[in-house]
Amino acid sequence: MAIIAVTAGAEHWSEIAMYCKAKQEILKKTYHLELKNGTPTEDTFQRIFAIIKPKEFEKCFINWVKAVIDIKEQEIVSIDGKTLRGTQDKENNRNVIHMVSAWANHAGVVLGQIRVNEKSNEIPAVPELLDCIDVKGCIITSDAMSCQKKTVRKITEHECDYVICLKGNQETLHDDVRLYFETAQKEPNFYPLSKTKTSAKDHGRIEKREYFLTEDVDGIADKNDWCNLNAVGMVRSTRIVNDVETVEVRYFITSVTDVKLFARAVRQHWGIENSLHWCLDMSFDEDHCRMRVDNSGENFAVLRHIATNLYKSFTSVKLSLKAKRFKCSFDDEFLSSVIFNKFL
């Protein structure tokens, strides 16, 4: 009932209870629920989801995804964290909920998620999340927070490739890679670089990206401590907005050696921000959700991920996620099609 109601647009336990009460006959007829004692109250929904163990609920979610979603080899799987800002409760000393999610860009679905109490705790959470999901043959992308030897080792153990951003948290490695590319651009004849570039123009903004990749990694300090480190990369992004030009340079460590594949992985990493986090905020208003009693906030986040996967997987109609959610709110037949598409 909670999954159906959230997919229909409910954003709180009270809305779930109201929806179920109003749709009691449809729940019986279409979804074959007996409901001998009627539908639960708001307090019952909240109480149940407050005591459900999040790890068990997340395990059910992951098993469902494995059963119904076909993940292809070389799928770009992006891992990133998102803070549910409305869940902070300083008066009662409750930490804000921070969820780390794995997003399959081509399939357009959440593969799994795990809660951490603070953003800094993403570091040990990523290997734990990788142990839960099926990503064999995929390419894992992440920001600099995951640029850790243990994380890279775990990715390799799962027979995956990786493209991970490199920043100051690995100062020596970052300086080695930066110096290599700075020197290579001054003396291109002596340094082997593969190159490709892309460009895009949208809403008055012009963006050009240049991608550089080299397998010449023998001079990198502690190279052998980084599992399957086959190449390092650089991306130079030039943006022109209102005739103002800005340039950003980023560095990466990677196991892939094809510059076009490297470029695709770098570009698609932003899918977790644009196609998941942005949608959760814009369509579900997640940042303003204040659920924080026991496990209720974390479990409701999983319900939102279930609904997101249902919308994204329902490709029979060409509608945005927001439009699908709106249509589900009033069209019972459309809603049942979305639900049964991945729950049959």
Side-chain angles (χ1 to χ4, degrees):
M1 283 186 283
I3 290 170
I4 293 166
V6 170
T7 307
E11 295 179 353
H12 197 275
W13 307 121
S14 60
E15 295 178 2
I16 291 176
M18 282 191 293
Y19 176 87
C20 292
K21 187 175 182 179
K23 301 291 185 178
Q24 194 167 165
E25 292 306 311
I26 290 175
L27 292 175
K28 291 178 180 179
K29 183 179 178 180
T30 303
Y31 300 99
H32 309 295
L33 301 179
E34 292 188 9
L35 303 178
K36 292 179 180 178
N37 299 311
T39 57
T41 64
E42 170 190 351
D43 290 341
T44 301
F45 275 111
Q46 179 170 315
R47 187 169 64 251
I48 292 297
F49 279 91
I51 64 175
I52 289 176
K53 293 180 180 179
K55 285 189 179 297
E56 296 303 316
F57 193 28
E58 288 161 7
K59 190 185 297 182
C60 292
F61 171 87
I62 290 167
N63 287 337
W64 167 64
V65 171
K66 288 178 181 177
V68 300
I69 305 296
D70 183 23
I71 301 300
K72 306 293 186 183
E73 281 205 4
Q74 292 198 329
E75 167 75 83
I76 309 298
V77 176
S78 303
I79 296 179
D80 196 17
K82 183 180 185 297
T83 300
L84 281 63
R85 303 187 186 283
T87 58
Q88 190 166 25
D89 187 1
K90 293 182 180 179
E91 291 182 6
N92 295 308
N93 198 30
R94 286 198 183 103
N95 289 328
V96 65
I97 295 175
H98 189 77
M99 301 291 289
V100 178
S101 303
W103 173 257
N105 285 274
H106 180 73
V109 295
V110 183
L111 299 181
Q113 65 282 303
I114 190 170
R115 177 185 176 172
V116 295
N117 288 327
E118 298 176 6
K119 185 171 178 60
S120 59
N121 289 337
E122 278 189 34
I123 294 173
V126 173
E128 185 179 346
L129 178 58
L130 287 168
D131 279 337
C132 297
I133 59 180
D134 186 6
V135 288
K136 182 179 178 181
C138 296
I139 299 171
I140 308 298
T141 68
S142 186
D143 60 16
M145 184 75 75
S146 294
C147 190
Q148 308 289 331
K149 294 171 184 175
K150 289 183 179 179
T151 302
V152 169
R153 187 180 306 116
K154 180 63 68 175
I155 292 171
T156 304
E157 287 173 1
H158 284 279
E159 300 181 41
C160 297
D161 282 305
Y162 61 85
V163 175
I164 299 179
C165 192
L166 182 60
K167 289 187 178 178
N169 61 324
Q170 296 289 346
E171 187 175 359
T172 302
L173 180 58
H174 179 269
D175 289 346
D176 284 348
V177 175
R178 176 181 56 79
L179 181 61
Y180 181 94
F181 282 106
E182 287 178 353
T183 307
Q185 290 176 88
K186 293 175 183 176
E187 304 176 41
N189 293 330
F190 297 97
Y191 289 84
L193 290 181
S194 301
K195 306 175 186 178
T196 189
K197 59 184 179 180
T198 61
S199 60
K201 185 176 181 180
D202 187 32
H203 301 294
R205 181 182 69 180
I206 300 173
E207 185 162 3
K208 301 176 182 178
R209 293 190 183 97
E210 299 170 277
Y211 303 88
F212 304 88
L213 194 70
T214 181
E215 298 177 53
D216 184 13
V217 294
D218 290 335
I220 291 177
D222 301 326
K223 169 188 174 293
N224 294 329
D225 292 339
W226 295 89
C227 289
N228 210 20
L229 176 57
N230 296 328
V232 292
M234 184 185 90
V235 179
R236 182 166 53 221
S237 302
T238 304
R239 296 181 183 88
I240 302 173
V241 183
N242 298 325
D243 296 325
V244 177
E245 181 177 291
T246 59
V247 178
E248 179 189 19
V249 177
R250 291 173 292 152
Y251 302 101
F252 297 83
I253 59 172
T254 179
S255 60
V256 305
T257 56
D258 183 292
V259 69
K260 291 187 177 180
L261 184 57
F262 166 70
R264 180 163 69 90
V266 171
R267 288 197 309 273
Q268 290 191 15
H269 177 71
W270 295 107
I272 194 168
E273 290 288 347
N274 300 331
S275 298
L276 178 60
H277 295 167
W278 187 86
C279 287
L280 289 171
D281 284 338
M282 295 298 103
S283 299
F284 292 87
D285 201 23
E286 184 175 68
D287 253 359
H288 293 99
C289 177
R290 297 182 61 79
M291 293 180 191
R292 53 199 179 201
V293 176
D294 296 323
N295 301 323
S296 59
E298 186 175 349
N299 286 329
F300 206 98
V302 177
L303 288 174
R304 284 190 287 265
H305 282 169
I306 293 172
T308 299
N309 282 2
L310 289 171
Y311 298 138
K312 295 281 188 178
S313 300
F314 190 71
T315 56
S316 300
V317 295
K318 290 185 178 181
L319 294 172
S320 67
L321 186 149
K322 188 174 182 179
K324 288 177 185 175
R325 190 165 190 247
F326 177 63
K327 191 171 176 62
C328 283
S329 69
F330 66 85
D331 188 332
D332 295 326
E333 186 176 344
F334 182 78
L335 172 62
S336 66
S337 297
V338 172
I339 296 289
F340 288 137
N341 181 49
K342 292 300 178 184
F343 272 107
L344 275 177

